[in-house]
Amino acid sequence: MNEDAKSDTIQPGRLIIFSGPSGVGKTTVLAAIFERCKRPLMMSVSATTRPQREGETAGVSYHYLSDQEFKQRIDSDAFLEFTEVFGRGHWYGTLKETVKAGLSQGKWVILEIDVEGAQKVLKHHPDAITIFVHPGSAQELERRLRGRGTESETELQRRLEVAQRELDMANLYEHIVTNQSVEQTATDICQILESVE
Ligand code: 5GP
């Protein structure tokens, strides 16, 4: 095989499950990872029935679907996994097609999903790289969520409850990284990704 032919060969992609409680800073950390990591990373854009937040872009942050559209995708088996994340009627799901397309192009596809979704994906992809971003403590998480100020008090309490359950399950992940500074966390995660064969 000549050099040109070799460089055309697509290396198989990898699946990365990236979790952590709401408010821990996953989005900021992910942006920093994309800036510095040498792997061909790609975000899998999930579908959700939750309303679009200010600052979010349809098709980039999420595919925003009505309940009926979401149900149609469940019925047509379009999801690799789906779940009702905060127990109040908002659904989130990973689209099979997005993951398949990324992996076939040799991308390292990042799924930013909750712990329940992660367990479902691991059944089909036991070789996925699993990373959990930890706030350090539940108190620290509450401080950050309050600082963000995007949720009502009721919603905040619900997220803290879910967060506690997620923190209790962090040990399911191969890599647990405490987010004390965005720069350090992104560097640590990048090192993890670059050391994987
Ligand atoms: P948010 O509403 O703050 O964007 O996301 C809330 C939670 O939903 C986050 O913990 C995020 O990881 C999770 N999530 C986002 N997309 C998916 C998905 O496709 N599947 C699952 N299981 N969880 C998701």
Side-chain angles (χ1 to χ4, degrees), residues 18-22 26 46-47 50 53 56 62 81-83 85-86 92-94 112-114 116-118 148 151 159 166:
F18 189 83
S19 303
S22 174
K26 282 170 292 179
S46 292
R50 88 141 158 76
R53 283 196 201 124
E56 291 184 339
Y62 285 104
E81 62 76 35
F82 62 92
T83 188
V85 175
F86 295 111
Y92 296 77
T94 306
E112 198 222 302
I113 60 177
D114 78 331
E116 210 179 304
R148 186 166 87 172
E151 280 82 27
R159 284 185 183 232
E166 295 211 307

Side-chain angles (χ1 to χ4, degrees), residues 12 27 38 42 50 60 68 77 79 99 109 115 118 134 150 152 162 164 176 184:
T27 312
K38 291 189 187 73
M42 180 195 119
R50 88 141 158 76
V60 177
Q68 199 192 354
D77 199 25
F79 290 119
V99 172
V109 181
V115 173
H134 202 286
T150 47
S152 66
V162 174
Q164 188 55 58
I176 302 175
Q184 191 57 50

Side-chain angles (χ1 to χ4, degrees), residues 48-78:
T48 184
T49 62
R50 88 141 158 76
Q52 187 171 345
R53 283 196 201 124
E54 216 182 298
E56 291 184 339
T57 311
V60 177
S61 314
Y62 285 104
H63 299 291
Y64 299 96
L65 304 181
S66 65
D67 286 349
Q68 199 192 354
E69 287 166 333
F70 199 94
K71 189 171 178 311
Q72 276 165 359
R73 280 166 182 73
I74 295 175
D75 293 344
S76 62
D77 199 25

Side-chain angles (χ1 to χ4, degrees), residues 15-22 24 26 81 83 85 110-122 125-126 128-134 162-178 189 192:
L15 201 57
I16 302 164
I17 299 177
F18 189 83
S19 303
S22 174
V24 76
K26 282 170 292 179
E81 62 76 35
T83 188
V85 175
I110 304 179
L111 309 182
E112 198 222 302
I113 60 177
D114 78 331
V115 173
E116 210 179 304
Q119 286 172 293
K120 293 179 192 166
V121 172
L122 274 172
H125 296 269
I129 302 162
T130 54
I131 300 172
F132 189 92
V133 183
H134 202 286
V162 174
Q164 188 55 58
R165 288 206 294 274
E166 295 211 307
L167 295 182
D168 293 344
M169 289 168 87
N171 287 335
L172 293 173
Y173 291 71
E174 197 182 345
H175 306 281
I176 302 175
V177 183
T178 302
I189 293 175
I192 291 169

